Amino acid sequence: MQLTNAAVLFFLVPTLTPALDPLSTSVFMGGAAVAWQLLSPHSWLKCSLLECCNMKDTLNLSVIKMDLERKVFGQHLAIQIVLRALSANMHSKRPRKPLVMSFHGWTGTGKSFVSTIIAKNLYQLNIPRRRFVHHFSTALHFPHLSHVHLYKEQLQNWIKGNVSACPRSLFIFSEMDQMPHGLIDSIMPFLGYHEEIDGVYYGKAIFLFLNNAGGDKITEIALDYWRRLKRREDIPVKKLQSLLSEEIFRNRNSGFFHSQLIQKNLIDYFIPFLPLEYKHVKESQDYRSQGKGPWGCWWAEDEDLIAEIALAMTDYPNEERLYSSKGCKTVASRVTLSI
């Protein structure tokens, strides 16, 4: 209806403008052009001023690559896989299925931060389109085991409704290790190889699962490489992804315990986030203290304090004290106590 009214307005312009002086005509034509832009569902002006779902792929891979490489420390494997996955998805005009990535690792290793970088870079003009980024927290949205049946229905309706409104929707599920068993399987139909489901196309949607489960297995492998004097950069990512898939499928402390999403191979990438070493914790703070960006474990200007707290955060295993068991978590309180 809006487009019809706008079209009628433009058809009437030639008959109306002769009765106006040149200045009024210019103003009238300019107003008509603005009205047309605002009424058009995906116009550049409307998308500049309002939240707008743009069907055109707008993720600038070179920009997100720079963001990830400059702001995320110690996670070369995760960065490589995320960039490869996004590139393949964005270069396909009509992906056969949604992009599904599962992030695994200890708390504080950067899983949430990487998902935030993806969300901020996904839409035009560097303006986060919050209406199309949907974040589910298990503790907040699915707190009661007795309500799982209701949650399944609500989750299906939420995803179907939002993908109908914007095919390039982003869904982020955090605290997957706390999710009730079987709940995540309710979205299985939307993640498969379907042209459409009830007239809705899901191939441009992106699903991210954030999971602490599997973190111990990742740390075990990284520590083994370190003890054998091998570089963490040489850890074979394919082998690690396969081990992760098996680990979280068998792990009762995982939202993917015996999940059909794994059985039917609907998760495209299992992405390992390695434990942070002393140098990674310190690098993130150095980046922040040099004024290069907001990311960092904490804020401090005293180099001795930076080194002291970074060293104190590397507490695993007991003998070697090589990794930070909490990543960047709890550092702010340590800084406060040290000042």
Side-chain angles (χ1 to χ4, degrees), residues 100 138 142 148-149 151-157 159 173 176 179-192 194 197 207 209 211 248-249 254-267 270:
V100 184
T138 297
F142 316 116
V148 169
H149 183 74
Y151 295 151
K152 288 181 178 181
E153 183 179 350
Q154 291 175 336
L155 191 54
Q156 287 180 337
N157 291 334
I159 290 176
F173 293 82
M176 279 296 300
M179 180 166 285
H181 295 162
L183 174 55
I184 201 62
D185 283 349
S186 65
I187 71 171
M188 182 181 64
F190 308 127
L191 305 187
H194 304 288
I197 302 176
F207 292 80
F209 300 113
N211 206 329
I248 65 172
F249 182 77
S254 163
F256 292 118
F257 177 68
H258 286 184
S259 171
Q260 294 184 59
L261 269 63
I262 296 179
Q263 285 181 318
K264 296 184 180 296
N265 299 311
L266 296 180
I267 299 177
F270 294 91

Side-chain angles (χ1 to χ4, degrees), residues 64-80 104-115 117 218 232-233 271-298 306 310 322-324 326-329:
I64 195 171
K65 181 176 185 291
M66 181 175 65
D67 272 357
L68 290 171
E69 291 180 346
R70 292 176 62 205
K71 300 177 181 179
V72 181
F73 300 93
Q75 302 301 351
H76 66 285
L77 293 179
I79 291 174
Q80 289 172 9
H104 297 269
W106 277 354
T107 182
T109 50
K111 301 184 298 294
S112 295
F113 186 57
V114 170
S115 68
I117 290 178
I218 296 169
R232 60 195 271 142
E233 288 77 11
I271 302 181
F273 281 72
L274 299 172
L276 297 183
E277 298 177 6
Y278 166 82
K279 64 180 180 181
H280 304 128
V281 177
K282 189 173 183 299
E283 280 173 356
S284 69
Q285 168 55 14
D286 289 341
Y287 181 85
R288 170 78 184 267
S289 64
Q290 292 168 16
K292 293 181 180 178
W295 173 241
C297 287
W298 70 92
I306 293 173
L322 177 64
Y323 302 127
S324 171
K326 295 183 176 62
C328 289
K329 299 293 177 69

Side-chain angles (χ1 to χ4, degrees), residues 153-178:
E153 183 179 350
Q154 291 175 336
L155 191 54
Q156 287 180 337
N157 291 334
W158 181 260
I159 290 176
K160 182 176 181 179
N162 282 284
V163 175
S164 299
C166 181
R168 181 64 85 189
S169 290
L170 173 64
F171 300 93
I172 303 172
F173 293 82
S174 63
E175 302 161 342
M176 279 296 300
D177 46 300
Q178 301 177 32

Side-chain angles (χ1 to χ4, degrees), residues 304-319:
D304 292 336
L305 178 60
I306 293 173
E308 177 186 342
I309 295 180
L311 186 61
M313 293 299 294
T314 51
D315 55 3
Y316 182 89
N318 291 333
E319 300 81 15

Side-chain angles (χ1 to χ4, degrees), residues 13-83:
V13 166
T15 61
L16 295 174
T17 51
L20 302 174
D21 61 79
L23 179 60
S24 299
T25 299
S26 299
V27 172
F28 181 81
M29 291 294 290
V34 171
W36 172 263
Q37 282 287 333
L38 289 176
L39 291 173
S40 178
H42 299 300
S43 73
W44 66 268
L45 181 59
K46 182 175 181 179
C47 290
S48 299
L49 301 176
L50 307 171
E51 288 190 320
C52 175
C53 176
N54 195 324
M55 280 293 294
K56 182 180 179 182
D57 290 336
T58 57
L59 183 65
N60 188 323
L61 289 171
S62 61
V63 172
I64 195 171
K65 181 176 185 291
M66 181 175 65
D67 272 357
L68 290 171
E69 291 180 346
R70 292 176 62 205
K71 300 177 181 179
V72 181
F73 300 93
Q75 302 301 351
H76 66 285
L77 293 179
I79 291 174
Q80 289 172 9
I81 302 171
V82 166
L83 289 175

